[in-house]
């Protein structure tokens, strides 16, 4: 970003923020869809049964922990690549 003027930096920052928000919303949507599909199966009442609620809580926890672990692994791989100074596959 050092080679960019103020306006270009602001535009880049805005684009990055929009991309992050889009990625967050996509992750959230996937989480909701997956946990709903896996846990909710009784549509006779408007509220969740205790079993369904417990399933949703476990599903969300598992999904979040998995996403966190994946992010950590990505950071570790990225740091390793930066240290070696090489691009993957070369």
């Amino acid at each position: 970003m050092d080679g960019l003027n103020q306006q270009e930096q602001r535009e880049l920052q805005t684009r990055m923020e929009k991309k992050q928000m889009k990625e967050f919303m996509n992750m959230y949507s996937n989480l909701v869809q997956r946990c709903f599909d896996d846990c909710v199966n009784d549509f006779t009442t408007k509220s969740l049964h205790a079993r369904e609620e417990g399933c949703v809580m476990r599903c969300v926890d598992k999904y979040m922990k998995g996403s966190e672990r994946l992010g950590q692994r990505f950071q570790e791989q990225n740091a390793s690549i930066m240290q070696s100074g090489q691009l993957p596959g070369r």
Side-chain angles (χ1 to χ4, degrees):
M1 286 183 40
D2 293 337
L4 303 176
N5 64 38
Q6 285 291 95
Q7 182 180 357
E8 292 170 331
Q9 286 180 9
R10 282 192 302 271
E11 183 177 334
L12 180 60
Q13 182 68 29
T14 300
R15 286 184 183 196
M16 288 172 60
E17 288 171 0
K18 285 181 181 179
K19 183 172 175 53
Q20 287 176 336
M21 180 56 80
K22 185 177 178 180
E23 288 173 358
F24 171 78
M25 293 305 293
N26 189 33
M27 184 187 83
Y28 179 77
S29 178
N30 289 337
L31 167 68
V32 169
Q33 188 65 51
R34 181 177 184 144
C35 292
F36 181 86
D37 290 345
D38 288 351
C39 297
V40 180
N41 50 30
D42 183 1
F43 299 99
T44 59
T45 65
K46 64 180 180 178
S47 59
L48 294 175
H49 293 278
R51 180 183 44 79
E52 292 173 325
E53 190 171 343
C55 178
V56 168
M57 297 301 285
R58 287 187 303 277
C59 179
V60 169
D61 186 52
K62 187 175 183 178
Y63 190 94
M64 296 304 288
K65 286 179 180 176
S67 294
E68 182 181 351
R69 182 73 174 139
L70 185 62
Q72 288 172 346
R73 281 287 173 218
F74 180 76
Q75 287 177 339
E76 291 168 5
Q77 288 289 338
N78 194 34
S80 176
I81 290 168
M82 296 302 280
Q83 281 183 337
S84 70
Q86 296 180 357
L87 294 175
R90 296 191 188 229

